[in-house]
Amino acid sequence: MGYSRFYLVLLLSICVGNSLASPIEDQERDRITQLPGQPKNVGFAQYSGYVTVNEESGRSLFYWLTEAPVSRGPESRPLVLWLNGGPGCSSIAYGASEEMGPFHIRPDGKSLYLNPYAWNNLANILFLESPAGVGFSYSNKTTELYTFGDKRTAEDAYTFLVNWFERFPQYKHREFYIAGESYAGHYVPQLAQIVYRKNKGIENPVINFKGVMVGNAVTDDYHDYVGTFEYWWTHGLVSDSTYRMLRIACDFGSSQHPSVQCMQALKVAVVEQGNIDPYSIYTQPCKSTASLRRGLRGRYSRAYDPCTERYSDLYFNRPEVQKALHANVTGISYPWKTCSDIVGNYWTDSPLSMLPIYRELINASLQIWLYSGDTDAVVPVTATRYSIDALKLPTIINWYPWYDNGKVGGWSQVYKGLTFVTVRGAGHEVPLHRPRQAFILFRSFLENKSMPSTS
Protein backbone atom coordinates (compact mmCIF):
# COMPACT_ATOMS: atom_id res chain seq x y z
CA MET A 1 0.00 0.00 0.00
CA GLY A 2 1.16 3.59 -0.57
CA TYR A 3 4.45 3.50 -2.45
CA SER A 4 4.50 0.08 -4.04
CA ARG A 5 7.39 -2.33 -3.71
CA PHE A 6 7.92 -1.81 -7.45
CA TYR A 7 8.35 1.93 -6.91
CA LEU A 8 10.93 1.36 -4.17
CA VAL A 9 12.82 -1.13 -6.34
CA LEU A 10 12.76 1.41 -9.15
CA LEU A 11 14.31 4.00 -6.86
CA LEU A 12 17.06 1.56 -5.99
CA SER A 13 17.70 0.59 -9.61
CA ILE A 14 18.25 4.12 -10.86
CA CYS A 15 20.95 5.02 -8.37
CA VAL A 16 24.61 4.19 -8.72
CA GLY A 17 26.21 1.89 -6.16
CA ASN A 18 24.67 1.67 -2.68
CA SER A 19 24.15 5.38 -2.00
CA LEU A 20 20.36 5.04 -1.71
CA ALA A 21 20.13 1.51 -0.35
CA SER A 22 20.66 2.45 3.27
CA PRO A 23 17.96 5.17 3.41
CA ILE A 24 15.45 2.90 1.70
CA GLU A 25 16.24 0.09 4.09
CA ASP A 26 15.75 2.50 7.01
CA GLN A 27 12.47 3.59 5.47
CA GLU A 28 11.26 0.02 5.15
CA ARG A 29 12.20 -0.67 8.78
CA ASP A 30 9.90 2.21 9.74
CA ARG A 31 6.93 0.82 7.81
CA ILE A 32 3.91 0.09 10.03
CA THR A 33 2.32 -3.20 9.03
CA GLN A 34 -0.70 -3.08 11.35
CA LEU A 35 -1.52 -1.11 14.50
CA PRO A 36 -3.32 -2.94 17.32
CA GLY A 37 -7.05 -2.39 16.94
CA GLN A 38 -6.65 -0.83 13.50
CA PRO A 39 -9.36 -1.37 10.86
CA LYS A 40 -8.17 -3.71 8.13
CA ASN A 41 -7.37 -2.80 4.53
CA VAL A 42 -7.14 0.94 5.14
CA GLY A 43 -5.61 1.57 1.73
CA PHE A 44 -2.70 3.80 2.72
CA ALA A 45 0.87 3.31 3.93
CA GLN A 46 2.17 4.39 7.34
CA TYR A 47 5.66 4.82 8.69
CA SER A 48 6.93 5.76 12.13
CA GLY A 49 10.19 5.82 14.02
CA TYR A 50 13.06 7.99 15.16
CA VAL A 51 15.29 10.54 13.50
CA THR A 52 18.40 11.63 15.40
CA VAL A 53 18.84 15.40 15.58
CA ASN A 54 21.88 15.53 17.87
CA GLU A 55 24.40 12.67 17.96
CA GLU A 56 26.34 14.00 20.95
CA SER A 57 23.40 14.00 23.40
CA GLY A 58 21.37 11.35 21.60
CA ARG A 59 18.40 13.63 20.92
CA SER A 60 15.92 11.78 18.72
CA LEU A 61 12.51 12.92 17.52
CA PHE A 62 9.62 10.54 16.89
CA TYR A 63 7.49 10.87 13.76
CA TRP A 64 4.43 9.22 12.26
CA LEU A 65 3.82 9.54 8.51
CA THR A 66 0.36 8.74 7.17
CA GLU A 67 0.46 8.77 3.39
CA ALA A 68 -2.47 9.52 1.13
CA PRO A 69 -4.49 6.46 0.05
CA VAL A 70 -3.15 4.60 -2.97
CA SER A 71 -6.39 5.40 -4.79
CA ARG A 72 -5.63 9.11 -4.44
CA GLY A 73 -2.07 8.93 -5.74
CA PRO A 74 0.22 9.67 -2.78
CA GLU A 75 3.17 10.20 -5.10
CA SER A 76 1.50 13.32 -6.53
CA ARG A 77 0.27 14.73 -3.22
CA PRO A 78 2.13 17.35 -1.16
CA LEU A 79 3.78 16.68 2.19
CA VAL A 80 2.44 18.53 5.25
CA LEU A 81 4.24 18.62 8.59
CA TRP A 82 1.83 18.94 11.55
CA LEU A 83 2.94 20.35 14.91
CA ASN A 84 0.95 20.66 18.12
CA GLY A 85 1.98 23.16 20.74
CA GLY A 86 2.00 23.29 24.50
CA PRO A 87 4.90 23.79 24.62
CA GLY A 88 5.39 20.16 25.54
CA CYS A 89 2.28 18.59 23.98
CA SER A 90 2.26 15.67 21.57
CA SER A 91 1.23 15.87 17.92
CA ILE A 92 0.49 12.13 18.14
CA ALA A 93 -1.93 12.67 21.05
CA TYR A 94 -3.77 15.60 19.53
CA GLY A 95 -3.29 16.08 15.79
CA ALA A 96 -3.01 12.41 14.88
CA SER A 97 -5.40 10.86 17.41
CA GLU A 98 -8.27 13.31 17.84
CA GLU A 99 -8.04 15.89 15.08
CA MET A 100 -7.03 15.28 11.45
CA GLY A 101 -5.30 11.89 11.72
CA PRO A 102 -6.73 8.85 9.93
CA PHE A 103 -7.52 6.96 13.15
CA HIS A 104 -9.29 8.01 16.32
CA ILE A 105 -9.13 6.00 19.56
CA ARG A 106 -12.23 4.42 21.06
CA PRO A 107 -12.98 4.90 24.79
CA ASP A 108 -11.67 1.41 25.56
CA GLY A 109 -8.16 2.63 24.71
CA LYS A 110 -7.63 -0.50 22.62
CA SER A 111 -9.32 -0.08 19.25
CA LEU A 112 -9.24 2.50 16.48
CA TYR A 113 -11.82 3.75 14.00
CA LEU A 114 -11.40 5.61 10.73
CA ASN A 115 -11.79 9.37 10.57
CA PRO A 116 -13.82 10.15 7.41
CA TYR A 117 -12.37 13.69 7.34
CA ALA A 118 -8.72 12.68 7.75
CA TRP A 119 -6.40 15.13 6.10
CA ASN A 120 -4.31 12.37 4.53
CA ASN A 121 -7.15 12.07 2.00
CA LEU A 122 -5.68 15.27 0.56
CA ALA A 123 -1.99 15.15 1.42
CA ASN A 124 0.73 13.04 3.00
CA ILE A 125 0.70 14.07 6.68
CA LEU A 126 3.84 13.94 8.82
CA PHE A 127 3.19 14.20 12.59
CA LEU A 128 6.19 15.14 14.75
CA GLU A 129 6.57 14.94 18.53
CA SER A 130 8.77 17.93 19.32
CA PRO A 131 10.96 18.84 21.13
CA ALA A 132 12.78 15.90 22.75
CA GLY A 133 10.99 14.90 25.95
CA VAL A 134 7.58 15.19 24.31
CA GLY A 135 5.76 11.90 23.75
CA PHE A 136 8.16 9.25 22.46
CA SER A 137 10.87 11.77 21.52
CA TYR A 138 13.81 11.66 23.90
CA SER A 139 17.31 12.74 24.80
CA ASN A 140 19.93 10.50 26.42
CA LYS A 141 20.95 13.61 28.36
CA THR A 142 17.84 14.06 30.52
CA THR A 143 18.97 17.43 31.90
CA GLU A 144 18.26 18.82 28.41
CA LEU A 145 14.53 18.42 28.99
CA TYR A 146 14.75 21.30 31.46
CA THR A 147 16.41 23.66 28.99
CA PHE A 148 14.27 23.62 25.86
CA GLY A 149 12.87 26.77 24.32
CA ASP A 150 11.75 28.16 20.99
CA LYS A 151 15.20 28.48 19.42
CA ARG A 152 16.46 24.92 19.94
CA THR A 153 13.04 23.48 19.12
CA ALA A 154 13.11 25.18 15.71
CA GLU A 155 16.72 24.17 15.05
CA ASP A 156 16.05 20.53 15.99
CA ALA A 157 12.91 20.45 13.84
CA TYR A 158 14.93 21.67 10.86
CA THR A 159 17.62 19.05 11.46
CA PHE A 160 14.87 16.46 11.70
CA LEU A 161 13.51 17.52 8.30
CA VAL A 162 16.92 17.42 6.60
CA ASN A 163 17.60 13.91 7.95
CA TRP A 164 14.04 12.70 7.33
CA PHE A 165 14.20 13.67 3.65
CA GLU A 166 17.37 11.58 3.35
CA ARG A 167 15.43 8.58 4.66
CA PHE A 168 12.47 9.35 2.39
CA PRO A 169 14.12 10.57 -0.84
CA GLN A 170 10.89 10.20 -2.80
CA TYR A 171 9.67 13.32 -0.96
CA LYS A 172 12.62 15.47 -1.97
CA HIS A 173 11.52 18.47 -4.06
CA ARG A 174 7.85 17.64 -3.33
CA GLU A 175 5.60 20.58 -2.39
CA PHE A 176 5.99 20.99 1.37
CA TYR A 177 3.88 22.88 3.94
CA ILE A 178 4.11 23.39 7.71
CA ALA A 179 0.92 23.49 9.79
CA GLY A 180 -0.01 23.47 13.45
CA GLU A 181 -2.07 25.04 16.21
CA SER A 182 -1.88 26.87 19.53
CA TYR A 183 1.74 27.32 20.68
CA ALA A 184 2.74 25.99 17.27
CA GLY A 185 1.93 29.61 16.45
CA HIS A 186 5.57 29.96 17.53
CA TYR A 187 6.89 26.65 16.20
CA VAL A 188 5.51 27.01 12.67
CA PRO A 189 6.77 30.51 11.70
CA GLN A 190 10.14 29.97 13.42
CA LEU A 191 10.75 26.70 11.55
CA ALA A 192 9.44 28.30 8.36
CA GLN A 193 11.95 31.13 8.75
CA ILE A 194 14.86 28.66 9.02
CA VAL A 195 13.71 26.65 5.99
CA TYR A 196 13.18 29.81 3.95
CA ARG A 197 16.60 31.21 4.83
CA LYS A 198 18.39 27.90 4.21
CA ASN A 199 16.69 27.63 0.81
CA LYS A 200 17.72 31.12 -0.28
CA GLY A 201 19.74 31.03 -3.46
CA ILE A 202 19.04 27.34 -4.15
CA GLU A 203 17.31 26.85 -7.48
CA ASN A 204 15.69 23.48 -6.73
CA PRO A 205 15.78 22.96 -2.95
CA VAL A 206 15.29 19.53 -1.41
CA ILE A 207 12.72 21.04 0.96
CA ASN A 208 10.36 22.60 -1.58
CA PHE A 209 8.74 24.91 0.95
CA LYS A 210 5.49 26.57 -0.13
CA GLY A 211 3.70 27.93 2.93
CA VAL A 212 2.22 27.66 6.42
CA MET A 213 -1.16 27.30 8.09
CA VAL A 214 -1.74 27.83 11.82
CA GLY A 215 -4.91 27.58 13.91
CA ASN A 216 -5.79 29.46 17.11
CA ALA A 217 -2.19 30.55 17.09
CA VAL A 218 -0.16 32.17 19.85
CA THR A 219 1.21 35.07 17.82
CA ASP A 220 1.96 38.29 19.68
CA ASP A 221 1.82 38.58 23.47
CA TYR A 222 0.39 42.09 23.64
CA HIS A 223 -2.35 41.60 21.06
CA ASP A 224 -3.05 38.02 22.18
CA TYR A 225 -3.83 39.11 25.72
CA VAL A 226 -5.77 42.23 24.77
CA GLY A 227 -7.86 40.06 22.46
CA THR A 228 -8.27 37.32 25.07
CA PHE A 229 -9.48 39.66 27.80
CA GLU A 230 -11.90 41.27 25.33
CA TYR A 231 -13.23 37.85 24.32
CA TRP A 232 -13.82 36.90 27.97
CA TRP A 233 -15.77 40.11 28.55
CA THR A 234 -17.80 40.17 25.33
CA HIS A 235 -18.80 36.52 25.87
CA GLY A 236 -19.96 37.14 29.42
CA LEU A 237 -17.19 35.12 31.07
CA VAL A 238 -15.93 37.89 33.38
CA SER A 239 -17.34 40.97 35.11
CA ASP A 240 -16.93 44.55 33.95
CA SER A 241 -14.68 45.33 36.90
CA THR A 242 -12.41 42.33 36.30
CA TYR A 243 -12.13 43.19 32.62
CA ARG A 244 -11.10 46.73 33.50
CA MET A 245 -8.55 45.44 36.02
CA LEU A 246 -7.07 43.00 33.48
CA ARG A 247 -6.68 45.78 30.93
CA ILE A 248 -4.96 48.05 33.47
CA ALA A 249 -2.81 45.57 35.40
CA CYS A 250 -1.63 43.17 32.69
CA ASP A 251 0.90 44.63 30.29
CA PHE A 252 2.42 41.91 28.15
CA GLY A 253 3.81 44.14 25.47
CA SER A 254 7.14 44.65 27.22
CA SER A 255 7.52 41.81 29.74
CA GLN A 256 6.49 38.21 30.26
CA HIS A 257 6.60 38.64 34.03
CA PRO A 258 3.18 39.73 35.30
CA SER A 259 2.67 42.10 38.19
CA VAL A 260 1.07 41.00 41.46
CA GLN A 261 -2.04 42.98 40.49
CA CYS A 262 -2.23 41.18 37.16
CA MET A 263 -1.97 37.77 38.83
CA GLN A 264 -4.75 38.70 41.24
CA ALA A 265 -6.99 39.84 38.38
CA LEU A 266 -6.34 36.59 36.49
CA LYS A 267 -7.24 34.53 39.55
CA VAL A 268 -10.51 36.44 39.88
CA ALA A 269 -11.20 35.87 36.16
CA VAL A 270 -10.75 32.10 36.56
CA VAL A 271 -13.20 32.06 39.48
CA GLU A 272 -15.75 34.14 37.55
CA GLN A 273 -15.54 31.84 34.52
CA GLY A 274 -16.45 28.85 36.66
CA ASN A 275 -16.24 25.19 35.69
CA ILE A 276 -16.28 25.54 31.91
CA ASP A 277 -13.94 24.23 29.29
CA PRO A 278 -12.08 27.37 28.20
CA TYR A 279 -10.94 25.60 25.02
CA SER A 280 -14.57 25.17 23.97
CA ILE A 281 -16.83 27.41 25.99
CA TYR A 282 -20.18 25.98 24.84
CA THR A 283 -19.45 22.29 25.38
CA GLN A 284 -19.41 20.41 28.67
CA PRO A 285 -16.07 19.56 30.29
CA CYS A 286 -15.37 15.91 31.10
CA LYS A 287 -17.37 15.37 34.30
CA SER A 288 -15.06 12.88 35.95
CA THR A 289 -11.89 14.88 35.46
CA ALA A 290 -10.68 17.87 37.43
CA SER A 291 -10.93 21.14 35.59
CA LEU A 292 -8.12 21.93 33.21
CA ARG A 293 -5.05 23.66 34.47
CA ARG A 294 -5.39 27.34 33.76
CA GLY A 295 -3.34 30.35 34.63
CA LEU A 296 -1.39 33.21 33.27
CA ARG A 297 0.22 31.08 30.58
CA GLY A 298 -3.04 29.31 29.90
CA ARG A 299 -2.17 29.31 26.23
CA TYR A 300 0.44 26.68 27.13
CA SER A 301 -2.03 24.41 28.91
CA ARG A 302 -3.61 21.14 27.90
CA ALA A 303 -5.66 20.78 24.78
CA TYR A 304 -9.36 20.18 24.40
CA ASP A 305 -10.82 17.00 25.87
CA PRO A 306 -9.30 15.42 28.98
CA CYS A 307 -11.43 12.31 28.45
CA THR A 308 -10.02 11.89 24.95
CA GLU A 309 -6.54 12.39 26.35
CA ARG A 310 -7.21 9.45 28.65
CA TYR A 311 -7.90 7.21 25.64
CA SER A 312 -4.53 8.23 24.18
CA ASP A 313 -2.78 7.54 27.48
CA LEU A 314 -4.21 4.03 27.52
CA TYR A 315 -3.46 3.27 23.89
CA PHE A 316 0.06 4.62 23.47
CA ASN A 317 1.32 3.13 26.73
CA ARG A 318 0.43 -0.39 25.55
CA PRO A 319 3.64 -2.35 24.77
CA GLU A 320 2.16 -3.90 21.63
CA VAL A 321 1.26 -0.44 20.29
CA GLN A 322 4.75 0.88 20.96
CA LYS A 323 6.22 -2.16 19.21
CA ALA A 324 4.02 -1.65 16.16
CA LEU A 325 5.04 2.03 16.04
CA HIS A 326 8.76 1.24 16.50
CA ALA A 327 8.53 3.56 19.52
CA ASN A 328 10.23 3.61 22.92
CA VAL A 329 13.06 1.48 21.58
CA THR A 330 15.47 2.71 24.29
CA GLY A 331 13.11 2.05 27.20
CA ILE A 332 12.31 5.62 28.26
CA SER A 333 12.17 5.85 32.07
CA TYR A 334 8.80 7.63 32.14
CA PRO A 335 5.40 6.73 30.63
CA TRP A 336 4.18 8.29 27.38
CA LYS A 337 2.06 11.37 28.17
CA THR A 338 -0.07 13.69 26.10
CA CYS A 339 1.94 16.65 27.43
CA SER A 340 5.29 16.84 29.21
CA ASP A 341 5.11 18.89 32.40
CA ILE A 342 8.91 19.10 32.54
CA VAL A 343 9.27 20.49 29.03
CA GLY A 344 6.33 22.89 29.44
CA ASN A 345 7.11 24.15 32.94
CA TYR A 346 10.81 24.74 32.30
CA TRP A 347 10.49 26.41 28.90
CA THR A 348 13.39 28.84 28.54
CA ASP A 349 12.91 31.25 25.62
CA SER A 350 9.71 32.52 24.05
CA PRO A 351 9.85 35.72 21.99
CA LEU A 352 7.11 38.26 22.63
CA SER A 353 6.01 38.40 18.99
CA MET A 354 5.99 36.38 15.79
CA LEU A 355 4.91 39.38 13.72
CA PRO A 356 8.43 40.24 12.47
CA ILE A 357 8.79 36.68 11.16
CA TYR A 358 5.41 36.88 9.44
CA ARG A 359 6.49 40.09 7.75
CA GLU A 360 9.60 38.30 6.43
CA LEU A 361 7.58 35.32 5.20
CA ILE A 362 4.97 37.58 3.56
CA ASN A 363 7.73 39.50 1.78
CA ALA A 364 9.05 36.16 0.55
CA SER A 365 5.66 35.53 -1.13
CA LEU A 366 5.05 32.34 0.82
CA GLN A 367 1.48 31.17 1.28
CA ILE A 368 0.24 32.07 4.79
CA TRP A 369 -3.12 31.11 6.28
CA LEU A 370 -4.29 31.68 9.85
CA TYR A 371 -7.57 30.24 11.14
CA SER A 372 -9.58 30.38 14.36
CA GLY A 373 -12.27 28.29 15.96
CA ASP A 374 -14.54 30.97 17.37
CA THR A 375 -15.54 29.28 20.67
CA ASP A 376 -12.00 29.08 22.04
CA ALA A 377 -11.33 31.35 25.03
CA VAL A 378 -7.63 30.41 25.37
CA VAL A 379 -6.28 31.82 22.10
CA PRO A 380 -9.49 33.36 20.79
CA VAL A 381 -10.46 34.76 17.43
CA THR A 382 -10.22 38.34 18.75
CA ALA A 383 -6.57 37.78 19.70
CA THR A 384 -5.68 36.62 16.19
CA ARG A 385 -7.60 39.49 14.60
CA TYR A 386 -5.71 42.06 16.66
CA SER A 387 -2.39 40.44 15.73
CA ILE A 388 -3.25 40.40 12.03
CA ASP A 389 -4.41 44.01 12.21
CA ALA A 390 -1.00 44.97 13.61
CA LEU A 391 0.59 43.78 10.35
CA LYS A 392 -1.32 46.57 8.52
CA LEU A 393 -1.81 44.52 5.36
CA PRO A 394 -3.98 45.79 2.49
CA THR A 395 -7.29 43.95 2.11
CA ILE A 396 -7.86 42.01 -1.11
CA ILE A 397 -11.26 40.46 -0.25
CA ASN A 398 -13.22 41.98 2.62
CA TRP A 399 -14.86 39.99 5.44
CA TYR A 400 -17.41 37.52 4.05
CA PRO A 401 -19.26 34.36 5.15
CA TRP A 402 -18.10 31.05 3.69
CA TYR A 403 -20.47 28.13 3.18
CA ASP A 404 -20.71 24.39 3.56
CA ASN A 405 -23.84 22.79 2.06
CA GLY A 406 -25.78 26.02 2.27
CA LYS A 407 -24.81 26.76 5.87
CA VAL A 408 -22.37 29.36 7.08
CA GLY A 409 -19.19 27.52 8.05
CA GLY A 410 -17.44 30.66 9.25
CA TRP A 411 -16.02 33.90 7.90
CA SER A 412 -12.92 34.91 6.01
CA GLN A 413 -10.86 37.89 4.94
CA VAL A 414 -8.08 37.83 2.37
CA TYR A 415 -5.20 40.25 2.81
CA LYS A 416 -2.23 40.88 0.59
CA GLY A 417 0.03 38.00 1.64
CA LEU A 418 -2.24 36.39 4.24
CA THR A 419 -5.64 34.67 4.41
CA PHE A 420 -7.65 34.55 7.64
CA VAL A 421 -10.51 32.07 8.19
CA THR A 422 -12.82 31.50 11.15
CA VAL A 423 -14.67 28.23 11.74
CA ARG A 424 -18.07 28.73 13.34
CA GLY A 425 -18.70 26.76 16.52
CA ALA A 426 -15.23 25.25 16.72
CA GLY A 427 -13.07 25.37 19.82
CA HIS A 428 -9.29 25.36 20.18
CA GLU A 429 -8.87 22.16 18.17
CA VAL A 430 -10.83 23.02 15.05
CA PRO A 431 -10.63 19.59 13.31
CA LEU A 432 -11.93 17.94 16.50
CA HIS A 433 -15.00 20.14 16.82
CA ARG A 434 -15.78 20.77 13.16
CA PRO A 435 -14.05 17.99 11.18
CA ARG A 436 -15.94 18.53 7.92
CA GLN A 437 -15.44 22.30 7.93
CA ALA A 438 -11.76 21.84 8.85
CA PHE A 439 -11.40 19.48 5.88
CA ILE A 440 -12.87 22.13 3.56
CA LEU A 441 -10.48 24.68 5.06
CA PHE A 442 -7.47 22.40 4.50
CA ARG A 443 -8.51 21.66 0.92
CA SER A 444 -8.88 25.38 0.18
CA PHE A 445 -5.46 26.03 1.71
CA LEU A 446 -3.75 23.37 -0.41
CA GLU A 447 -5.43 24.71 -3.53
CA ASN A 448 -4.67 28.29 -2.40
CA LYS A 449 -8.25 29.24 -3.20
CA SER A 450 -10.42 31.47 -1.06
CA MET A 451 -13.14 29.78 0.99
CA PRO A 452 -16.40 28.91 -0.85
CA SER A 453 -18.47 32.09 -0.78
CA THR A 454 -21.77 30.88 -2.21
CA SER A 455 -24.45 28.83 -0.46
Side-chain angles (χ1 to χ4, degrees):
M1 289 178 249
Y3 287 102
S4 66
R5 300 281 176 176
F6 170 78
Y7 181 72
L8 293 173
V9 169
L10 179 63
L11 279 172
L12 285 168
S13 67
I14 61 175
C15 61
V16 178
N18 296 319
S19 61
L20 197 57
S22 179
I24 293 297
E25 288 169 0
D26 287 345
Q27 182 181 141
E28 280 302 293
R29 276 195 291 269
D30 286 357
R31 183 185 289 271
I32 298 171
T33 52
Q34 179 86 9
L35 291 172
Q38 172 190 312
K40 293 180 180 179
N41 303 319
V42 296
F44 57 86
Q46 309 174 69
Y47 301 84
S48 62
Y50 287 97
V51 172
T52 301
V53 296
N54 187 287
E55 295 281 356
E56 184 181 347
S57 63
R59 284 204 305 277
S60 293
L61 301 185
F62 182 78
Y63 79 90
W64 183 2
L65 171 69
T66 58
E67 290 191 329
V70 173
S71 61
R72 294 176 180 264
E75 65 281 349
S76 64
R77 300 277 175 170
L79 176 68
V80 179
L81 174 70
W82 176 266
L83 301 169
N84 278 91
C89 291
S90 163
S91 300
I92 303 300
Y94 297 106
S97 299
E98 62 180 47
E99 296 188 79
M100 73 291 298
F103 305 118
H104 289 177
I105 305 169
R106 296 189 190 277
D108 62 6
K110 295 179 180 179
S111 55
L112 307 173
Y113 63 96
L114 284 171
N115 171 17
Y117 297 108
W119 287 9
N120 74 320
N121 286 307
L122 299 172
N124 304 287
I125 310 295
L126 178 59
F127 298 97
L128 177 65
E129 292 192 305
S130 173
V134 173
F136 292 123
S137 296
Y138 67 91
S139 172
N140 290 334
K141 190 177 179 183
T142 54
T143 54
E144 283 190 339
L145 307 189
Y146 295 83
T147 61
F148 278 105
D150 281 21
K151 187 173 186 295
R152 193 193 299 165
T153 298
E155 290 169 348
D156 279 2
Y158 178 75
T159 302
F160 164 84
L161 285 175
V162 170
N163 293 340
W164 187 90
F165 277 103
E166 288 305 311
R167 188 175 304 179
F168 287 83
Q170 68 267 35
Y171 281 99
K172 289 183 176 182
H173 313 295
R174 187 87 59 92
E175 285 192 357
F176 174 69
Y177 299 89
I178 308 172
E181 71 185 19
S182 193
Y183 196 74
H186 276 215
Y187 294 165
V188 171
Q190 288 171 328
L191 176 57
Q193 183 184 50
I194 294 177
V195 175
Y196 163 66
R197 289 180 174 181
K198 294 283 188 182
N199 280 352
K200 260 186 175 180
I202 300 174
E203 188 173 339
N204 186 26
V206 166
I207 304 177
N208 183 16
F209 181 45
K210 295 298 184 180
V212 301
M213 181 173 74
V214 198
N216 291 80
V218 176
T219 304
D220 175 273
D221 279 15
Y222 175 76
H223 294 102
D224 283 353
Y225 281 106
V226 168
T228 297
F229 300 153
E230 183 174 304
Y231 187 92
W232 292 353
W233 181 63
T234 56
H235 287 73
L237 303 181
V238 297
S239 64
D240 295 356
S241 59
T242 297
Y243 174 59
R244 281 194 294 269
M245 183 54 66
L246 288 166
R247 291 296 304 268
I248 294 168
C250 299
D251 176 16
F252 296 99
S254 57
S255 172
Q256 293 178 334
H257 303 289
S259 65
V260 174
Q261 292 81 3
C262 176
M263 289 300 294
Q264 289 173 341
L266 285 163
K267 287 177 182 177
V268 172
V270 169
V271 172
E272 289 180 348
Q273 288 175 25
N275 185 25
I276 64 167
D277 182 349
Y279 294 90
S280 174
I281 63 174
Y282 299 126
T283 56
Q284 291 298 316
C286 185
K287 292 179 182 177
S288 58
T289 305
S291 39
L292 294 171
R293 180 182 65 186
R294 287 180 292 175
L296 173 64
R297 306 295 276 185
R299 60 186 195 174
Y300 292 172
S301 301
R302 314 294 186 171
Y304 168 64
D305 181 1
C307 294
T308 307
E309 289 173 15
R310 204 180 296 148
Y311 314 153
S312 293
D313 273 327
L314 290 170
Y315 188 77
F316 291 111
N317 277 299
R318 294 174 61 199
E320 61 269 37
V321 171
Q322 295 181 4
K323 183 179 180 181
L325 285 168
H326 323 115
N328 198 13
V329 292
T330 59
I332 299 169
S333 61
Y334 46 85
W336 181 93
K337 294 177 67 176
T338 55
C339 297
S340 167
D341 291 326
I342 292 174
V343 172
N345 291 338
Y346 289 90
W347 202 251
T348 58
D349 61 285
S350 177
L352 293 171
S353 180
M354 293 294 103
L355 296 182
I357 297 180
Y358 276 117
R359 290 188 182 98
E360 181 178 347
L361 299 179
I362 289 168
N363 289 336
S365 299
L366 290 164
Q367 184 179 328
I368 300 170
W369 282 43
L370 298 178
Y371 67 90
S372 284
D374 63 12
T375 68
D376 174 26
V378 177
V379 191
V381 59
T382 42
T384 302
R385 292 182 78 176
Y386 274 125
S387 292
I388 292 173
D389 188 58
L391 290 170
K392 301 189 184 307
L393 301 171
T395 295
I396 304 299
I397 304 175
N398 203 19
W399 193 261
Y400 68 94
W402 65 269
Y403 288 88
D404 169 32
N405 278 345
K407 296 180 180 179
V408 174
W411 291 265
S412 181
Q413 183 154 335
V414 180
Y415 301 88
K416 185 178 181 181
L418 185 149
T419 295
F420 178 56
V421 179
T422 75
V423 181
R424 188 163 70 106
H428 193 66
E429 295 179 71
V430 169
L432 170 61
H433 294 278
R434 292 290 185 268
R436 178 183 166 86
Q437 289 75 23
F439 187 85
I440 294 169
L441 165 67
F442 185 56
R443 184 178 64 203
S444 297
F445 167 73
L446 291 178
E447 295 174 352
N448 199 19
K449 295 179 179 177
S450 55
M451 299 298 289
S453 59
T454 56
S455 57

